[in-house]
Amino acid sequence: MKTFRKCLMSGVAAVVCSTLPAAACTGISLTARDGSYVQARTIEWAKGPLQSEYVIIPRGETLRSYTPTGANGVRFEAKYGVVGLAVVEREFIAEGINEAGLSAGLFFFPKYGGYVGYDASMNDSTLADLQVVQWILTQFSAIDEVQKGLDKVRIVGLERSAVVHWRIGEPSGRQVVLEIVDGVPHFYENTVGVLTNAPGFEWHLANLNNYVNLHAGDAPSHKLGDIELFPLGGSSGMLGLPGDFTPPSRFVRAAMFRNTAPMRDDGFSTILECFHLLNNFDVPIAVENPDEHTLPSATQWTTAIDLTARKVYYKTAYNNTIRCIDLHSIDWEEIEYQAHPLDPKQEQPIEMVVVGNQKNS
C-alpha cells in the first residue's frame, strides 16, 4: 500500500476537487420484466488516465479507514464479500456490490455537501468519505441497516473541497441517495432512478418540472395563425431536452431516457439497455479538457450491475468490450484481497470480418 501522503499526491484529491470540474458521473437504474434490478453509471476524469481497478474483498478481511492524518481511522472487518471498481487506490471504491446484493456508489457533490470537521481524538470512529462505499458493502445487506449503522461512524473528507454523495440500492429495486449537508446525513428515496452531481437531489427533482412538456414520440402538429407547424423529424416530443454535460442537464436527460426506456425481459437484456442509454452520456475529451490529446474520452469507464444476479459488467474508454465478474463464481472464504487494472492492455480489440470471394450462384 502506498503511504497516505503519496496517495494524496497521486491525485485522489484532484479527482474530486471542486476546482477541477471534470467529474461528471451519471447514474441510472432499470428493472426487468422478470424482476431483475440493475444499477448503472459512468465515471469521468479528463486530466489524464484514471488509475482504475476492480477490487475483490473476501469475508473476514480486516480493513482500516484513512483520515486526513494517515491510515489511522476506524477499523472494520468484512462481513460480506465485495466486488468493487476503485479509483486511484483500491480502498476508494466508486461503485460496487456485495454478495448479499447490496450495491453502492459515490458521486461528486461539490459546494453543496459538507461533513463534520476532522477531530483527531475521534479517529477510532472516523471514516473517510472515499471509503464509505467500501464500509457499506463490507458491513451491510440492506438499506435499513446502513441507515442505522451510520450513527457508529464519523464521516470526514480527505480533502477540504472534495465532497461526494452516495447512491445505495438493494435487489428489491429500492434505491436511496445519501447526502451529508452541514454534517447532517439525509436519505432520499430515489424513485426516479437517476443521480448526477450538484446541486442536491431534491433540487434536481424540482428542476424536472421545468421540462413538463417533454415526452416520448412526436409532438402534434398545430396551427399558429394561418401557419401549420409540424415536426421536422422523429422524437420531436423531446424538443428542448438539454444536451450539455452539466449535472442538471444530465439529470434531466437521464431521467427522460430512463423513464421512457422499454422494459426488457431479463437482467442481461436490461444490462445491455443500460449500456445503450449511457452511451448518450459519453463526454468527448475536448469538451472537458481542450489540452488533453491522448485520452479517447473523458468518460473513462461505464459499469452496469445486476443486483439480482450478483454480476458486475463494465467497459472502458480504451476497450468497449463488455466484461463481467460473477460474484457466484467467487469462493469468499478462500479468495485473497486483491485488485487488478480494468484494462491489462489499453487497446480496443477489433474483430476482422472475413469476406468470401465466391459470387452468388
Side-chain angles (χ1 to χ4, degrees), residues 317-336:
Y318 301 99
N319 183 350
N320 273 267
T321 303
I322 297 174
R323 285 147 280 177
C324 178
I325 303 171
D326 185 348
L327 275 71
H328 289 300
S329 69
I330 300 172
D331 185 339
W332 296 108
E333 298 291 346
E334 297 296 330
I335 198 163
E336 295 182 349

Side-chain angles (χ1 to χ4, degrees), residues 56-70:
I56 311 296
I57 304 176
R59 292 187 210 131
E61 186 72 23
T62 299
L63 304 162
R64 189 162 195 179
S65 177
Y66 288 116
T67 76
T69 58

Side-chain angles (χ1 to χ4, degrees), residues 39 66 70 82 88 126 132 158 215 231 235 246 267 314 326 329:
Q39 290 189 169
Y66 288 116
V82 173
V88 181
T126 295
V132 168
L158 293 182
H215 61 86
S235 306
T246 62
Y314 73 89
D326 185 348
S329 69

Side-chain angles (χ1 to χ4, degrees), residues 28-293:
I28 62 173
S29 60
L30 290 175
T31 301
R33 189 168 284 108
D34 69 358
S36 298
Y37 178 59
V38 174
Q39 290 189 169
R41 57 93 55 84
T42 68
I43 194 162
E44 278 75 27
W45 175 239
K47 302 299 180 181
L50 180 62
Q51 179 184 321
S52 299
E53 302 174 307
Y54 70 83
V55 180
I56 311 296
I57 304 176
R59 292 187 210 131
E61 186 72 23
T62 299
L63 304 162
R64 189 162 195 179
S65 177
Y66 288 116
T67 76
T69 58
N72 53 7
V74 61
R75 290 183 183 272
F76 51 100
E77 182 177 301
K79 299 177 182 178
Y80 302 96
V82 173
V83 172
L85 275 64
V87 292
V88 181
E89 294 292 328
R90 66 179 183 177
E91 290 83 7
F92 303 146
I93 296 176
E95 190 73 27
I97 184 175
N98 67 21
E99 59 180 310
L102 188 71
S103 181
L106 63 81
F107 291 70
F108 187 46
F109 188 47
K111 300 187 183 298
Y112 288 85
Y115 315 123
V116 295
Y118 172 61
D119 183 345
S121 69
M122 303 184 73
N123 276 352
D124 286 346
S125 61
T126 295
L127 177 65
D129 57 347
L130 298 182
Q131 287 178 258
V132 168
V133 173
Q134 181 196 55
W135 175 74
I136 287 174
L137 296 181
T138 58
Q139 301 303 297
F140 306 111
S141 62
I143 291 170
D144 287 343
E145 294 177 7
V146 177
Q147 292 175 308
K148 294 177 182 177
L150 204 64
D151 292 337
K152 299 179 181 179
V153 293
R154 180 183 175 87
I155 297 174
V156 303
L158 293 182
E159 201 278 334
R160 182 173 298 177
S161 59
V163 181
V164 297
H165 57 180
W166 298 268
R167 175 182 69 173
I168 310 165
E170 56 189 28
S172 65
R174 184 186 176 196
Q175 181 188 138
V176 298
V177 174
L178 167 60
E179 295 179 346
I180 301 177
V181 180
D182 295 328
V184 180
H186 302 271
F187 285 90
Y188 303 101
E189 297 291 331
N190 188 359
T191 57
V192 74
V194 169
L195 187 61
T196 57
N197 314 106
F201 182 67
E202 287 190 311
W203 184 96
H204 283 293
L205 294 182
N207 185 51
L208 290 176
N209 291 303
N210 287 317
Y211 301 90
V212 66
N213 59 296
L214 299 183
H215 61 86
D218 291 331
S221 301
H222 68 278
K223 282 197 170 185
L224 183 65
D226 294 332
I227 302 174
E228 183 176 358
L229 304 180
F230 56 89
L232 296 176
S235 306
S236 56
M238 288 287 179
L239 189 63
L241 184 71
D244 63 82
F245 294 99
T246 62
S249 293
R250 286 184 287 104
F251 192 99
V252 173
R253 197 157 71 252
M256 295 302 168
F257 290 165
R258 182 265 186 189
N259 287 283
T260 57
M263 179 176 282
R264 301 301 182 181
D265 288 337
D266 54 31
F268 181 66
S269 57
T270 303
I271 288 285
L272 297 181
E273 180 71 23
C274 285
F275 277 115
H276 287 308
L277 292 178
L278 288 176
N279 285 339
N280 291 277
F281 298 88
D282 279 353
V283 180
I285 185 62
V287 171
E288 288 282 358
N289 184 5
D291 297 325
E292 171 60 54
H293 301 290

